[in-house]
Structures are given as C-alpha cells and as structure tokens.
C-alpha cells in the first residue's frame, strides 16, 4: 500500500472514532427520526384531507389555509413541521462534522461531505421559509434533495471497503440511486402523484443518515475502540513513509 493510499483510506469505520465523538455523532443523526414522527403528528392535525401521494411534504408547513398550487392546504400545526425541518437539517450538519473522519480523505469523500453539508443547510432553510410565505422555499428544497442524493452515493461508496460499515455503505449507494432515478422521473410524473415521487427522492437522504446514526450509536454503546487502534494507524503510516 502506498503512502497516498494510507492517507486517503477510511479508518476502521465508526470504531476508529473516540467513543464520545461516536456517541455525539450517532445521537445527532439518529435524532433525525423526529422528522418522520412529526410528519405523522402534523398530518393528523390537518383540517383538510391529506394524501401522501398527492400532497407535497411542504404542505405540512404552509402557514395559511386555502388553495395552493392546485391543492387544498390547511396545516394548523405548521410551526411544528417547520421547526422539525430546521432541526433535522442542523442535525445532518452536526452529525456530519462529527462523523466526517469515517469517510476518509479521498476526493469523493470530501465532495460528498461538502454536498451533504449543503443538503442539511438546505433542509434547515426549507423550515425557515414555508412554501406559501417565501420565494426561497423551492430553491432550498432543490438544494436539500439535489445535493443530498449524490452525497450519500459518494459517502456510501467510501464505506464499502470497511468491514464494519460495508452494509450501510451499499445502502447509501442504493438509496441514493433510487432517489436520483425518482428525481429523473419527476419530469414525466402526473401532478396527482407529486407527493409520492417527492417522498421517493427526499426520504433516502434522511433514512440513510438515521441508519448511520443508529449504527454509530450501537458501536459506541457496545464498547470503546480497540486499544492501540490509533497508535496502530500512525505506525502504519510511519512504516510506509520510512520505506
């Protein structure tokens, strides 16, 4: 193995991180599950029939009642939805910054990290700018989805060579590819199916970060990183450099 390969290869999955960092990163990403919980809660409070197939996710955060883009919208608990999206976006960013070393230093890891950070910020901005109250809502949603899908493909690909994270690596690739395929199909999707296809392209990013978060928490709770792991990694680099 060359010195360049040692420097750019991802560490031993989440086990290569200090335990406290694993706990914090895992908690940040696992907490994104609140996004799905609050979707159900806010939807239950609707005064109009809500269809996950027809209605946009953003309809849950609309601040006024009445027709919007051909749909009847009325979300009494819109504040809860918008706060949930802000928290989820910031959780993506916080967890990513904490777990970033897991993905290594290769170009694809750096690009994926930058894209996912942009996606998290985009999601947070979605919550700050409801669909019927700000022109920034649509570009924010486009950034959240358009940046997030290639991000999880790239980051997932960095984990496929790590035994402890190979499954979540391939899951990232599969979910990202599914979302990108759904995104391509939205151009020919009937308007009545908008809600369904929006979920196909938006949910993969959230699902993958939650899975990685839970996996990270499990590794942290089960025990500390193997003794001397960091020293062993440093020794490997030193050994190659001395050749």
């Amino acid at each position: 193995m060359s010195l360049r390969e040692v420097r750019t290869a991802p560490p031993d999955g989440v086990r290569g991180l200090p335990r406290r960092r694993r706990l914090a990163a895992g908690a940040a990403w696992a907490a994104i599950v609140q996004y799905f919980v609050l979707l159900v809660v806010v939807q239950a409070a609707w005064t109009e029939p809500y269809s996950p197939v027809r209605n946009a996710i953003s309809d849950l955060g609309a601040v006024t009642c009445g027709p919007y883009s051909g749909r009847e919208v009325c979300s009494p608990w819109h504040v809860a939805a918008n706060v949930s999206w802000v928290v989820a976006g910031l959780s993506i960013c916080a967890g990513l910054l904490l777990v970033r070393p897991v993905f290594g230093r290769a170009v694809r890891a750096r690009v994926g990290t930058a894209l996912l950070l942009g996606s998290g910020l985009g999601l947070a901005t979605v919550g700050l700018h409801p669909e019927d109250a700000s022109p920034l809502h649509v570009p924010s949603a486009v950034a959240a989805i358009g940046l997030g899908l290639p991000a999880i493909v790239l980051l997932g690909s960095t984990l496929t060579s790590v035994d402890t994270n190979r499954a979540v690596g391939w899951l990232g690739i599969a979910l990202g590819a599914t979302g990108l395929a759904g995104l391509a199909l939205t151009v020919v999707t009937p308007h009545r199916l908008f809600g369904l296809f929006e979920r196909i392209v938006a949910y993969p990013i959230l699902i993958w970060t939650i899975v990685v978060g839970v996996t990270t928490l499990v590794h942290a709770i089960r025990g500390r990183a193997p003794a001397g792991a960091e020293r062993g990694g440093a020794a490997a680099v030193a050994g190659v450099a001395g050749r």
Side-chain angles (χ1 to χ4, degrees):
M1 179 180 288
S2 68
L3 177 59
R4 178 179 176 82
E5 289 173 327
V6 171
R7 286 176 173 172
T8 59
D12 184 22
V14 296
R15 293 179 181 177
L17 296 177
R19 188 167 185 266
R20 290 184 179 179
R21 187 162 181 170
R22 282 179 283 159
L23 286 170
W29 273 9
I32 297 171
V33 73
Q34 59 80 22
Y35 174 101
F36 293 102
V37 173
L38 283 178
L39 282 187
V40 175
V41 172
V42 174
Q43 178 181 328
W46 260 50
T47 57
E48 295 286 344
Y50 184 90
S51 169
V53 173
R54 184 172 183 273
N55 283 97
I57 301 171
S58 296
D59 289 349
L60 297 171
V63 300
T64 58
C65 292
Y68 181 82
S69 190
R71 304 182 297 271
E72 286 297 324
V73 174
C74 194
S75 185
W77 286 18
H78 59 270
V79 174
N82 289 317
V83 170
S84 171
W85 300 336
V86 172
V87 172
L90 295 180
S91 294
I92 289 175
C93 296
L96 176 63
L97 294 176
L98 287 166
V99 82
R100 182 182 56 80
V102 168
F103 304 116
R105 299 179 181 178
V107 172
R108 57 180 170 170
R110 295 178 180 180
V111 172
T113 297
L115 291 175
L116 191 57
L117 186 63
S119 175
L121 293 175
L123 179 56
T125 308
V126 164
L128 294 173
H129 300 277
E131 65 178 8
D132 59 342
S134 172
L136 292 178
H137 180 84
V138 172
S140 298
V142 170
I145 296 173
L147 298 179
L149 290 173
I152 65 175
V153 171
L154 290 172
L155 294 178
S157 70
T158 68
L159 299 179
T160 56
S161 60
V162 181
D163 289 342
T164 55
N165 291 105
R166 182 169 287 121
V168 293
W170 284 111
L171 179 64
I173 294 174
L175 287 173
T178 299
L180 288 170
L183 189 60
L185 290 174
T186 55
V187 297
V188 295
T189 300
H191 187 68
R192 65 180 181 278
L193 299 178
F194 176 80
L196 174 63
F197 275 81
E198 183 189 26
R199 286 161 173 79
I200 291 174
V201 301
Y203 286 176
I205 304 161
L206 300 162
I207 292 172
W208 189 70
T209 50
I210 291 171
V211 171
V212 176
V214 171
T215 301
T216 304
L217 273 179
V218 169
H219 281 297
I221 293 171
R222 282 182 175 176
R224 299 179 179 277
E230 294 183 1
R231 294 194 300 273
V237 174
V240 174
R243 291 180 181 178

